[in-house]
Amino acid sequence: MSAFDTSTISFWDLTSLLFILFFLYAVVYPQSQLKRIRILRMAKLKAMEKSHGYKVLTMIHRREAVSFFGLPAYQFIDEEDAEQILRWIRQYKDSPLELILHTPGGQLHASIQIARALRNHPKNTRVVIPHYSMSGGTVIALAANEIVMDKDAVIGPIEPQIGDLLRGTFPAPSWIYAAETKKEQADDTTLVMSDISRKALKLTRKVAKELLEGKIQPGPDGEERLDEVVEKLVSGEMIHSTPLSASEAKELGLSVNTDFPEDVHEFMKLFKPVKKSVEYVE
């Protein structure tokens, strides 16, 4: 009887030990790693502020290897981003601002809200793009006095994406094209989406003009190119995922500088991507 009791106690002791080890590995260790990385990031930010002469802000959307239970989350521009960035812009109203952007885009209204606040900031502003800033990220970049891009970094078109979970999301110009092509044969959903798309395009054109006013370099003959640049970005001429390089953005007329600060790349190394199936060796 006592031998049975001893084995039972040993089993539960082993189970408890395994649970504690699992808890430490799954919860405590990732959080301690994340805290250490955050400390390193803050130290790097302070060093960049001293070197660049700007108050450095960041909006970096990346699935990270260090996360709760190892479960990464897809990130995009949303209301919480807008709330935080606007809070920073108000807080540092007396300082020139540098915003490091790394994002696939996100909600149009949140992107516009951030862009307008950045545009209205009383001091000099610049957006720094180490890898990519697409869609809503491009909208925000257009608001800055200067866009600093790595020569291989990209931005993209800003035409609104309209749709829902059931039917999918498609570019606003494509909904309009479908409605105009089918005419009276178009179903109610297509007609409604086309109407929403026209309104969304009108808003996006208005905002793009507002953000780019006075920033577009004139053409070879000195002609005004603002409307041309806005149409290029908004009209749907390019698919939404078209990558526009720094040289293409400059050719388009945007105020882009490729004198990229190397310490930003060093800073980005502190954000480890989730890619379990690929081993990167250097």
Side-chain angles (χ1 to χ4, degrees):
M1 184 72 177
S2 63
F4 176 79
D5 291 341
T6 301
S7 64
T8 303
I9 292 171
S10 297
F11 171 78
W12 286 111
D13 285 346
L14 179 60
T15 302
S16 299
L17 178 60
L18 289 174
F19 176 80
I20 292 170
L21 290 174
F22 173 77
F23 180 81
L24 291 174
Y25 177 78
V27 179
V28 177
Y29 176 71
Q31 293 306 306
S32 66
Q33 286 289 90
L34 188 55
K35 183 177 180 180
R36 183 184 69 84
I37 289 174
R38 283 174 176 164
I39 292 172
L40 292 174
R41 289 172 185 169
M42 288 305 301
K44 192 67 178 175
L45 276 176
K46 295 299 181 185
M48 288 193 297
E49 288 178 351
K50 186 175 181 180
S51 173
H52 299 181
Y54 287 80
K55 175 61 185 177
V56 180
L57 313 177
T58 67
M59 188 168 70
I60 298 170
H61 292 144
R62 197 172 200 177
R63 294 177 303 148
E64 290 204 75
V66 180
S67 57
F68 187 68
F69 283 111
L71 299 175
Y74 289 94
Q75 294 182 313
F76 55 87
I77 301 169
D78 59 16
E79 298 93 338
E80 283 72 25
D81 290 314
E83 182 180 348
Q84 180 59 67
I85 299 295
L86 265 61
R87 186 183 298 119
W88 280 336
I89 291 174
R90 287 192 297 268
Q91 181 179 351
Y92 301 111
K93 62 181 182 299
D94 297 324
S95 302
L97 297 181
E98 174 179 286
L99 176 61
I100 299 175
L101 271 182
H102 179 80
T103 179
Q107 295 173 353
L108 180 61
H109 67 279
S111 302
I112 291 174
Q113 195 174 10
I114 295 170
R116 282 176 165 164
L118 195 64
R119 168 72 164 161
N120 294 329
H121 185 67
K123 301 293 183 178
N124 193 45
T125 59
R126 72 175 187 174
V127 162
V128 177
I129 304 173
H131 300 297
Y132 68 95
S133 182
M134 305 297 285
S135 191
T138 299
V139 172
I140 296 170
L142 298 180
N145 299 127
E146 181 183 28
I147 304 172
V148 182
M149 296 176 64
D150 180 89
K151 63 181 179 62
D152 296 315
V154 296
I155 58 175
I158 60 173
E159 83 280 11
Q161 304 298 291
I162 306 297
D164 55 37
L165 292 175
L166 293 177
R167 299 170 186 83
T169 301
F170 303 98
S174 297
W175 282 109
I176 296 171
Y177 172 79
E180 290 178 346
T181 301
K182 287 193 170 184
K183 297 180 180 177
E184 65 276 0
Q185 295 181 343
D187 58 30
D188 289 347
T189 298
T190 302
L191 293 174
V192 170
M193 292 298 183
S194 175
D195 180 60
I196 295 172
S197 294
R198 291 180 190 279
K199 295 170 183 175
L201 281 170
K202 182 179 179 180
L203 170 64
T204 308
R205 284 190 176 96
K206 175 180 178 293
V207 171
K209 285 186 177 182
E210 173 189 326
L211 299 177
L212 290 172
E213 189 71 44
K215 297 179 184 177
I216 300 299
Q217 301 170 4
D221 300 326
E223 73 274 15
E224 174 61 47
R225 300 173 61 197
L226 177 60
D227 289 339
E228 174 190 339
V229 173
V230 169
E231 284 305 301
K232 186 80 172 178
L233 293 171
V234 177
S235 67
E237 173 186 336
M238 301 176 282
I239 62 171
H240 195 63
S241 58
T242 299
L244 295 173
S245 67
S247 59
E248 289 172 322
K250 288 169 76 172
E251 185 178 328
L252 187 61
L254 300 180
S255 178
V256 172
N257 179 0
T258 53
D259 185 16
F260 195 85
E262 188 58 34
D263 52 4
V264 174
H265 282 311
E266 293 300 317
F267 175 71
M268 290 299 296
K269 289 180 181 179
L270 296 174
F271 295 81
K272 300 295 184 183
V274 176
K275 198 98 178 231
K276 302 274 186 184
S277 60
V278 178
E279 182 177 355
Y280 300 99
V281 181
E282 57 177 271

